[in-house]
Amino acid sequence: MSAVYINSASCISVQDTLKENFVQDLTPEQSVQILKAVEPNYKEFIPPAMIRRMSKTVKMSSVASHHALKEAGIEKPDAIIVGTGMGCSQDSEKFLKNVIDNNEEFLTPTFFIQSTHNTVAGQIALGIQCHAYNFTYVNTSSSLEFSFLDAQLQINDGEAKNVLVGAADEQTNRTMELYCLNNTIKKEEDLPADYLHSETDGVIWGEGAGFFVLGKDKTEHSYAKLKNIQISNRVNPEELQMFLVDFLANNNLNNEDIDVVILGFSGDAKSDIYYTKAMDSFQNSALLYYKHLSGEFNTSSSFSTFMACHILKNQQIPDVMMINSERKNEIKNILLYNHLAGSDHSLMLLERA
């Protein structure tokens, strides 16, 4: 499959990533259980009457997609593809609460309609009056990667020239309570979290939205070339080295050709073993981590992809992301490796545009 170009990148996260020169103000978050996204003034982008009916995921995605399309200089893409792990869970909780409060009678369908996972892609399409291919992927932590793969196929098959691709997830009170109860989220006594050398289970949970425009042709704004993606639901720790080597070999590369590796260390001692093992394969590469800046959530790889795009374009690595002291004079190839709680492993290879 031929490579495609990432021609714009926009992100709303727990960092203020919408502003210019945001890299200078990246701040690690290690002492709270749940991180909230830094939200823009939605009134600048969305009519006030519509804002009241939108969930946080839809609002974040609408603004992030607006920025991505504007940066790419595109009014209407040839396709809209969105990935999400939890969808519009705020409206899902509201609907279920109504079911319980009203004894399953006299229910208004609004919250149910707005709670479906494809609401985000649909609302973006409605906002820009785009009647093209519209699809949503719900594949936990590899939702963005599946969306990228679909966009790559659409472009390679000649079905589209420019594709808006994004991923978003929000938090809801009840879900966060349940995550605390089942120890998905770290206990307060285990904070501050040590992301790289954790001895406790659980993560700090975040949220956010990242959107990109993928195109067939390179432009003056291009951030990176998306070379390849590989996804595996299960990888045994002893199979990890082969998982990495095979992926690189399929792209005619070896470990020495990778200038930067971005790993998804989450502070969960049980599942971070994969990243620790992966580090052994890239002794001569710059090793980075990012979830101390974004928190863990289903589509947190949108944040790492956004950061990788800026690293390739600016040829600079933020010190706050560094694990080791290795730095290359030129950054050409970046490998991103992510999973969620030891499942849905994804590898993404980006090359300097």
Side-chain angles (χ1 to χ4, degrees), residues 49 55 61 76 99 109 188 221 230-231 236 241 282 291:
S55 68
S61 300
K76 291 184 183 180
V99 171
E188 285 192 14
H221 303 295
Q230 184 168 330
I231 301 161
N236 292 325
Q241 301 295 338
F282 300 98
K291 287 178 183 172

Side-chain angles (χ1 to χ4, degrees), residues 194-198 203 262-268 271-279 287-296 323 337-339:
D194 183 346
Y195 280 85
L196 296 178
H197 308 98
S198 178
V203 302
I262 303 181
L263 302 165
F265 278 100
S266 64
D268 177 48
S271 60
D272 277 351
I273 184 67
Y274 285 97
Y275 301 123
T276 303
K277 286 181 175 293
M279 287 170 58
L287 302 174
L288 313 184
Y289 69 127
Y290 67 94
K291 287 178 183 172
H292 61 310
L293 303 173
S294 68
E296 175 71 286
I323 296 176
Y337 173 36
N338 185 53
H339 63 73

Side-chain angles (χ1 to χ4, degrees), residues 134-320:
N134 192 290
F135 210 86
T136 298
Y137 284 89
V138 186
N139 298 83
T140 60
S141 64
S142 52
S143 298
L144 176 68
E145 289 77 2
F146 274 105
S147 301
F148 270 144
L149 274 176
D150 190 359
Q152 202 171 5
L153 285 167
Q154 295 289 325
I155 293 170
N156 281 190
D157 290 345
E159 298 290 332
K161 189 175 181 182
N162 293 290
V163 182
L164 176 67
V165 184
D169 274 299
E170 66 188 6
Q171 299 165 355
T172 55
N173 293 335
R174 183 55 180 158
T175 301
M176 293 303 99
E177 289 173 5
L178 294 172
Y179 280 2
C180 288
L181 285 172
N182 71 1
N183 297 323
T184 295
I185 292 175
K186 275 196 184 297
K187 298 176 182 177
E188 285 192 14
E189 55 264 33
D190 293 333
L191 298 175
D194 183 346
Y195 280 85
L196 296 178
H197 308 98
S198 178
E199 296 180 357
T200 59
D201 295 338
V203 302
I204 291 176
W205 203 259
E207 62 182 353
F211 276 77
F212 312 84
V213 171
L214 268 59
K216 179 181 179 181
D217 303 317
K218 180 182 176 181
T219 69
E220 58 180 323
H221 303 295
S222 294
Y223 282 85
K225 184 189 289 186
L226 175 61
K227 294 282 287 183
N228 204 355
I229 295 172
Q230 184 168 330
I231 301 161
S232 179
N233 178 249
R234 298 286 179 187
V235 177
N236 292 325
E238 56 271 18
E239 298 172 346
L240 180 62
Q241 301 295 338
M242 193 56 64
F243 180 59
L244 295 166
V245 169
D246 287 348
F247 176 71
L248 295 178
N250 289 338
N251 293 281
N252 300 314
L253 298 171
N254 58 45
N255 297 12
E256 299 296 323
D257 296 317
I258 302 301
D259 304 303
V260 173
V261 182
I262 303 181
L263 302 165
F265 278 100
S266 64
D268 177 48
K270 192 181 300 180
S271 60
D272 277 351
I273 184 67
Y274 285 97
Y275 301 123
T276 303
K277 286 181 175 293
M279 287 170 58
D280 295 336
S281 299
F282 300 98
Q283 296 292 327
N284 298 317
S285 303
L287 302 174
L288 313 184
Y289 69 127
Y290 67 94
K291 287 178 183 172
H292 61 310
L293 303 173
S294 68
E296 175 71 286
F297 56 102
N298 284 271
T299 50
S300 63
S301 58
S302 61
F303 182 85
S304 65
T305 306
F306 174 75
M307 293 305 304
C309 287
H310 280 273
I311 290 170
L312 281 169
K313 190 170 187 177
N314 302 324
Q315 292 290 293
Q316 292 182 336
I317 299 173
D319 291 337
V320 72

